mmCIF file of all heavy atoms in Angstrom:
data_model
loop_
_atom_site.group_PDB
_atom_site.id
_atom_site.type_symbol
_atom_site.label_atom_id
_atom_site.label_comp_id
_atom_site.label_asym_id
_atom_site.label_seq_id
_atom_site.Cartn_x
_atom_site.Cartn_y
_atom_site.Cartn_z
ATOM 1 N N THR G 748 21.655 -19.336 11.726
ATOM 2 C CA THR G 748 22.463 -18.324 11.128
ATOM 3 C C THR G 748 22.659 -18.669 9.667
ATOM 4 O O THR G 748 22.790 -19.818 9.290
ATOM 5 C CB THR G 748 23.831 -18.175 11.795
ATOM 6 O OG1 THR G 748 24.493 -19.419 11.745
ATOM 7 C CG2 THR G 748 23.688 -17.741 13.258
ATOM 8 N N ILE G 765 29.735 2.505 -2.024
ATOM 9 C CA ILE G 765 28.488 2.831 -1.381
ATOM 10 C C ILE G 765 28.777 3.494 -0.057
ATOM 11 O O ILE G 765 28.211 4.561 0.261
ATOM 12 C CB ILE G 765 27.599 1.565 -1.204
ATOM 13 C CG1 ILE G 765 27.093 1.137 -2.580
ATOM 14 C CG2 ILE G 765 26.465 1.842 -0.254
ATOM 15 C CD1 ILE G 765 26.414 -0.258 -2.564
ATOM 16 N N GLY G 774 27.243 12.042 5.786
ATOM 17 C CA GLY G 774 27.914 11.722 7.008
ATOM 18 C C GLY G 774 27.924 12.834 8.040
ATOM 19 O O GLY G 774 27.932 12.575 9.225
ATOM 20 N N PRO G 790 11.132 12.921 -4.275
ATOM 21 C CA PRO G 790 11.769 11.636 -3.899
ATOM 22 C C PRO G 790 12.128 10.838 -5.151
ATOM 23 O O PRO G 790 11.514 11.022 -6.192
ATOM 24 C CB PRO G 790 10.693 10.916 -3.059
ATOM 25 C CG PRO G 790 9.650 11.917 -2.722
ATOM 26 C CD PRO G 790 9.784 13.020 -3.767
ATOM 27 N N ASP G 802 20.771 0.303 -12.775
ATOM 28 C CA ASP G 802 19.436 0.661 -12.190
ATOM 29 C C ASP G 802 19.569 0.890 -10.675
ATOM 30 O O ASP G 802 18.996 1.850 -10.142
ATOM 31 C CB ASP G 802 18.386 -0.437 -12.469
ATOM 32 C CG ASP G 802 18.062 -0.598 -13.943
ATOM 33 O OD1 ASP G 802 18.342 0.365 -14.716
ATOM 34 O OD2 ASP G 802 17.515 -1.649 -14.312
ATOM 35 N N GLY G 821 23.865 13.410 8.800
ATOM 36 C CA GLY G 821 24.457 13.251 10.125
ATOM 37 C C GLY G 821 23.952 11.990 10.813
ATOM 38 O O GLY G 821 22.999 11.361 10.430
ATOM 39 N N VAL G 848 15.387 -5.255 7.609
ATOM 40 C CA VAL G 848 15.910 -3.983 8.057
ATOM 41 C C VAL G 848 15.080 -3.347 9.135
ATOM 42 O O VAL G 848 15.570 -2.936 10.211
ATOM 43 C CB VAL G 848 16.086 -2.987 6.874
ATOM 44 C CG1 VAL G 848 16.637 -1.655 7.350
ATOM 45 C CG2 VAL G 848 16.995 -3.621 5.795
ATOM 46 N N ALA G 855 18.829 -0.714 19.759
ATOM 47 C CA ALA G 855 19.799 0.281 20.164
ATOM 48 C C ALA G 855 20.669 0.637 18.940
ATOM 49 O O ALA G 855 20.846 -0.150 18.067
ATOM 50 C CB ALA G 855 20.638 -0.200 21.296
ATOM 51 N N ALA G 868 23.579 -4.060 1.873
ATOM 52 C CA ALA G 868 22.787 -5.314 1.936
ATOM 53 C C ALA G 868 21.855 -5.394 0.727
ATOM 54 O O ALA G 868 21.702 -6.475 0.152
ATOM 55 C CB ALA G 868 21.998 -5.404 3.235
ATOM 56 N N GLY G 897 27.706 14.506 -27.713
ATOM 57 C CA GLY G 897 28.983 14.812 -28.374
ATOM 58 C C GLY G 897 30.144 14.135 -27.675
ATOM 59 O O GLY G 897 30.047 13.076 -27.049
#
Side-chain angles (χ1 to χ4, degrees):
T748 59
I765 289 169
D802 294 342
V848 179

